[in-house]
Amino acid sequence: MIQTFFRKALGGLLASALAAGATLAAAQPASAQYAVAGAPGVADVSVVQGDVVIVRGDSGAQVGATVNTPMLPGDYISTAGGSRAEVQFDGISMLRLASDTQVRMVSLNPGSREVQLASGTTELAMLQGGWGSSQIDTPSVTVRPDQPGDYRISVESNGETVVTVRSGMATVSTGNGSQNLTPGTTLVAYGPYNGATVSMQAPIPFDGFDSFNQHRDQAIVSAYNANQYLSPGLAGYANFADYGQWYNVPGYGESWAPSNQGNNWSPYSNGQWVWEPGYGYTWVGNEPWGYAPYHYGNWYWSTGYNQWMWQPPGYQYQNSAGALSQAWLPAMVAFFLTGGNANAALDTGLNYAFDASNPYGYGNIGWVPLAPGEQYVPWYAGFGANAAFPQTALSPVNNVTNVYNVYRNIRYIKVIRIVRVDRFRNGDFRDVQRVPVTQIVRHIAIVRGAVPVVPARGALAVKQASTAVRLSSRFEQPVFAAKAPAIVHEASFDRQTEALKTAVASKPHVEQVPVRTAPAEHPVYQGPVRRETFHVPVEVSHPAAAPHETMTPQRATAPQHPEQRFVPPAQRPAPERTAAPAPERTVTPERTVTPQHPEQRFVPPAQRPAPERTAAPVPERTVTPQRTVTPERTATPQRTEQRFVPPAQRPAPQVERTAAPAPPVQRPVEREVAPPVQQRQQQATPQQRATSTPAQGTTETAPHKKVKATPTPPPA
């Protein structure tokens, strides 16, 4: 079970936690992930084309939408003419907006996602099943997909709701009942939810928005299973294959490194902090892949590969939509204060007065990414009736050695980013100072608990909206107003800023950090890091052939997506390592048999020089499998005896020399038949000796048998 991060350990000493860091790393080599109690779910703006504006639900502020901007319940998103956007609920389900569309996020809980569409056209894409449920409400109907597929819903200017199922099956409900809708027809509803009139018509033709949706489906589905240590349900999953590579790092396991890392680049260096309800200061990265790696897992510097690596969260934090939702974090960093009249306000002999622009006497704030195994201390209130900001604790550090002991990543950051507190609280990151770490160790204090910087309204936006948006009046209709998310009232911006101001108005708790020996360059774990892999079958239901000719080839290629999924894993470093032993095992028996084949191949040449010289290659290749047969191997010792016999009898002069002295020795025994035997031997020696000699076992018995075999032919 995922543990909640709100624990009593918040008030523990930092020194004791860091002393146990090595033990924690050895026990849990995977990055430790914490769950946010009562987390409502977070969506990710993954595509922005044109002018897209987010209207914050916690404050009503209108901000410009950027890629990787998080969205929470109560937020609105609006597209201008000629603009499009995509909001990913996770890596499986996403909502796409056509131009002139306004949508409100009511609930982002994976089990009951709910979106209100007041005007324009959207498409809800569900690329797999089993990852929660979603529904889209209009003033007239509610659409709930029953299967994976693509569902297009529009609210026309006259108030009509038009629902078309491009693929899959959905249940369309009104106050009078519900019905199933499948591809091939379009449902048109008009009127209030409890009294809407419903009619059916031919499906609307495909257009440019459908083409946009198809291309997005293809881009996401083609990347499924390309990253075997990540769940496809992770938002931004497809970006890992496009913008980086996986490595198996000793002590850390499978880790991902982004491509084209600059000399001065480090995690959490290209982006800015924004204030989000419940989560407080939240990092929004500018990199195209900068969503999941900044809200899950940990970063570390690999001395072997000489680059930054991202270690993904453990399997238990990504094996379901609910686990991913609860494990989402605003960032995996630690904050510190530096500069100014440091520590002056911490003196117990001074009268303390909190200054939002110069908290505790420090004028700058910085941050450092947490390495795997380092303690994560939340700085935000969370959600629910009992949500409250934790107490602020400061740990003054006086030299660089202490800093290295606390956070080992800081030794590899070539330049560290610090921002003036007044700019930080206003969301102004245009003047970020980049200085070596050795220049900031004087008057530095590590922050644990609430960050003592009360945000201004400028911290709500990554960028300001280019045009003002007027929300549709349909959001005020009773059917929509009745479902207004309660999170807007619980975590409003004004309410949270007042709570934070109260929490940091008193003197912070001071914790001294003892001097310790600098740790090793990277932790050494007791055993190899073992991870479970994800091989999720993709269940994508593709729409039928489109009436528009330009759409036909795109739909025809859709069934090929599952086949493409399994190609990248075979080419990734991890699968190649597992496949490496396989060919070696097959080669091993061949190498052991190889020395036996030459021995058997040379046996026939000794007995049959003429035939084997003419057809040497052909019989050897065909006889090779027979030589491996067991009976032939058992007969091998008999062949070796025959091989040694022919060399002694093969030369004709040797046979004649042994036969010349033989008559005087054998004539006393067989004088009666000696003259006939010599004549027969002289007449038949060239032919009979060649046929009779290989048939006998020894050379001594050969002449006696030839002489005695005068009346009858020799036995075969």
Side-chain angles (χ1 to χ4, degrees), residues 85 230 424 436 582 678:
L230 288 182
F424 185 88
Q678 294 178 354

Side-chain angles (χ1 to χ4, degrees), residues 365-391:
I365 186 171
W367 54 93
V368 58
L370 293 177
E374 292 180 345
Q375 186 184 27
Y376 175 79
V377 181
W379 56 85
Y380 39 88
F383 304 89
N386 298 325
F389 287 95
Q391 181 184 10

Side-chain angles (χ1 to χ4, degrees), residues 303-330:
T303 56
Y305 291 97
N306 197 32
Q307 60 182 342
W308 289 99
M309 297 281 190
W310 177 72
Q311 186 185 63
Y315 176 87
Q316 67 271 26
Y317 302 112
Q318 6 174 6
N319 59 0
S320 67
L324 284 171
S325 176
Q326 296 295 316
W328 191 94
L329 295 176

Side-chain angles (χ1 to χ4, degrees), residues 211-237:
S211 178
F212 167 75
N213 296 327
Q214 288 183 338
H215 283 92
R216 286 299 300 160
D217 283 352
Q218 182 178 4
I220 296 172
V221 173
S222 62
Y224 279 164
N225 289 332
N227 310 306
Q228 62 177 344
Y229 295 98
L230 288 182
S231 167
L234 189 68
Y237 175 92

Side-chain angles (χ1 to χ4, degrees), residues 2-16:
I2 305 176
Q3 299 179 353
T4 176
F5 71 84
F6 293 109
R7 59 187 66 178
K8 296 181 179 180
L10 291 175
L13 292 177
L14 180 61
S16 60

Side-chain angles (χ1 to χ4, degrees), residues 328-416:
W328 191 94
L329 295 176
M332 288 289 285
V333 302
F335 291 95
F336 61 87
L337 299 173
T338 184
N341 188 14
N343 301 336
L346 304 182
D347 193 335
T348 57
L350 297 179
N351 293 325
Y352 175 74
F354 178 78
D355 183 0
S357 299
N358 190 19
Y360 310 142
Y362 294 89
N364 301 317
I365 186 171
W367 54 93
V368 58
L370 293 177
E374 292 180 345
Q375 186 184 27
Y376 175 79
V377 181
W379 56 85
Y380 39 88
F383 304 89
N386 298 325
F389 287 95
Q391 181 184 10
T392 302
L394 298 183
S395 298
V397 179
N398 298 322
N399 57 67
V400 68
T401 302
N402 287 5
V403 179
Y404 290 163
N405 290 347
V406 178
Y407 303 115
R408 62 177 179 270
N409 275 340
I410 204 169
R411 67 171 55 237
Y412 303 112
I413 299 178
K414 296 180 180 179
V415 291
I416 198 164

Side-chain angles (χ1 to χ4, degrees), residues 156-183:
E156 305 293 345
S157 58
N158 61 357
E160 285 186 344
T161 296
V162 181
V163 183
T164 303
V165 177
R166 294 302 189 192
S167 63
M169 183 176 68
T171 300
V172 182
S173 304
T174 66
N176 300 327
S178 62
Q179 65 183 83
N180 294 331
L181 188 64
T182 57

